[in-house]
Amino acid sequence: MATPEFILSLREKIGHEQLWLPGVSVVVLDDEGRVLLGRRADNGRWAVVSGIPEPGEQPGAAVVRECIEETGIVPELLGVCGVEAGTPLVFPNGDRCVFMDICFAARTGDPHLAHPADEESTQVGWFDPGALPEPVVASTPPRIRSALAWLADPAGGASFR
């Protein structure tokens, strides 16, 4: 995952200290109910599309941009299905952070357009939510469950932890 320039600039000032960062993710489903996953180049695990908004970028615009950049898919955002703080992470270089993720549910028109569109994903694919590939990022199954619950009952609102 490429580190945004604004984070590199912050790291020059604060070193490896923990950062509280915004994050966005999207659970994209096709007409068959399959979920779009990418195999991350940094750890080899399968995950829903996610990323970091640029300063001033709206969350919805950021997650659409990330999805296009990583998979070539233009998602149709349907709504926010979950908001949660992740667990503290420590990267191999010692950088520490916690992400506050806003997860969106989305649909796509043409699943055949999915492909690894940048260096962040080595593979992309469509999977039955009950039969996810391994290894999978730990945050992916709960995000998928939140999206499926929201799609089944949007009036119930997003999940919060």
Side-chain angles (χ1 to χ4, degrees), residues 24-80:
V24 291
S25 59
V26 62
V27 177
V28 182
L29 292 139
D30 67 6
D31 290 339
E32 296 177 29
R34 299 176 301 172
V35 64
L36 176 65
L37 299 179
R39 190 164 202 165
R40 295 175 56 104
D42 61 352
N43 62 21
R45 296 180 181 277
W46 290 93
V48 296
V49 171
S50 63
I52 301 170
E54 294 292 331
E57 186 177 30
Q58 294 296 326
V63 82
V64 167
R65 174 184 53 76
E66 290 286 349
C67 195
I68 294 167
E69 287 176 0
E70 294 179 20
T71 70
I73 291 293
V74 179
E76 175 194 348
L77 299 183
L78 303 173
V80 172

Side-chain angles (χ1 to χ4, degrees), residues 42-151:
D42 61 352
N43 62 21
R45 296 180 181 277
W46 290 93
V48 296
V49 171
S50 63
I52 301 170
E54 294 292 331
E57 186 177 30
Q58 294 296 326
V63 82
V64 167
R65 174 184 53 76
E66 290 286 349
C67 195
I68 294 167
E69 287 176 0
E70 294 179 20
T71 70
I73 291 293
V74 179
E76 175 194 348
L77 299 183
L78 303 173
V80 172
C81 62
V83 178
E84 71 175 353
T87 57
L89 299 172
V90 179
F91 290 90
N93 69 353
D95 287 352
R96 298 177 320 143
C97 73
V98 175
F99 288 100
M100 171 60 74
D101 183 68
I102 301 170
C103 187
F104 293 83
R107 296 250 183 235
T108 187
D110 189 351
H112 298 98
L113 298 177
H115 66 281
D118 68 8
E119 71 285 346
E120 293 185 41
S121 299
T122 59
Q123 294 175 273
V124 297
W126 297 95
F127 300 92
D128 182 291
L132 299 179
E134 290 292 336
V136 66
V137 171
S139 61
T140 291
R143 288 176 180 169
I144 293 171
R145 286 191 297 273
S146 291
L148 294 175
W150 184 86
L151 288 165

